[in-house]
Amino acid sequence: MNFNERITEIRSAADRGEYRHAAALTLATHGTDRFADVLRYARGVSSRILDPDMLAQDAIWWRVDGNGSHAKDGLWWIDKDAWRLSVLSVEIATQDTLDLQPLQHAWSTTPARHVLPVWEEWAREHAPEHLNAPRRAIEAKEAWCRGEATNDELRAAGDAAWA
C-alpha cells in the first residue's frame, strides 16, 4: 500500500469510528521512510487514533528464545532474555532498539511509594526499628536514578530494607 492509499485508509477508518484499525494502519508503517509523515497525519485526523490508553491495552511484551516468541506478563525477565514489544501486531521496540533498564529502575519506585504507608502503619507497632528502612531504600533508588548515589549506597539501602 503506498502513502496516499495508507492515508485514505486511515481517514476512512477514523470516519467510521474504527480508531484501533486506524492505529494499526498507522503503526504498520513503522520502520518505513514515511512513518513520520503518516504518524503526523494520523495525529491530525484524531487524537483517538493513537490514544495511549487504547494502545496500552493492545501492547504485548514478547520473550524471544530459541523456540520463538512467547507473550509474557510482567517484565521481571526483561534483562535475562531477548524481547520485543508489539502494539496491534506491529513490532515497536526490541532489546536492540530500546534499553529499558534505566526505565525499569525509575518505574520500580512508583509502586513501592504507593504501598509505603501500609508498611509504615504496620511497622510503627510491630517493627519500629525498621520503620524508615524502606523509605530510605526508595529514596536511594531515586537518587541513584538521578546519578546522585553510588551502587554501594544503593545496595546498602536495599540490604537495610530487606532486613
Side-chain angles (χ1 to χ4, degrees):
M1 182 177 297
N2 70 34
F3 176 74
N4 291 330
E5 291 170 334
R6 178 70 53 168
I7 296 299
T8 300
E9 285 293 316
I10 292 169
R11 168 62 75 184
S12 296
D15 288 346
R16 293 188 307 267
E18 297 173 359
Y19 298 108
R20 270 194 168 82
H21 182 61
L25 289 166
T26 301
L27 295 175
T29 64
H30 184 265
T32 69
D33 59 341
R34 298 300 303 261
F35 178 63
D37 296 327
V38 173
L39 192 60
R40 205 171 9 264
Y41 177 80
R43 285 182 181 150
V45 169
S46 173
S47 62
R48 295 181 67 189
I49 290 176
L50 297 170
D51 175 58
D53 291 331
M54 177 192 69
L55 294 177
Q57 293 173 24
D58 293 308
I60 300 173
W61 291 94
W62 300 86
R63 178 178 172 195
V64 181
D65 60 25
N67 298 318
S69 297
H70 312 281
K72 286 297 207 181
D73 291 328
L75 296 178
W76 56 267
W77 51 271
I78 205 88
D79 288 332
K80 298 177 176 94
D81 298 302
W83 58 269
R84 65 185 180 91
L85 170 64
S86 66
V87 176
L88 295 167
S89 301
V90 176
E91 185 175 287
I92 299 300
T94 71
Q95 73 280 354
D96 297 324
T97 61
L98 180 62
D99 181 7
L100 288 181
Q101 191 170 25
L103 292 174
Q104 285 177 281
H105 286 288
W107 291 337
S108 70
T109 61
T110 300
R113 278 215 177 266
H114 283 289
V115 299
L116 191 57
V118 174
W119 161 260
E120 289 174 338
E121 182 180 329
W122 179 86
R124 278 186 193 88
E125 182 178 335
H126 297 84
E129 69 278 12
H130 299 295
L131 175 66
N132 293 318
R135 180 176 297 281
R136 284 193 301 267
I138 293 167
E139 290 168 353
K141 175 69 91 163
E142 291 168 343
W144 183 84
C145 288
R146 293 188 306 268
E148 299 169 2
T150 67
N151 288 339
D152 289 339
E153 291 169 326
L154 179 61
R155 194 175 313 41
D159 290 346
W162 279 108

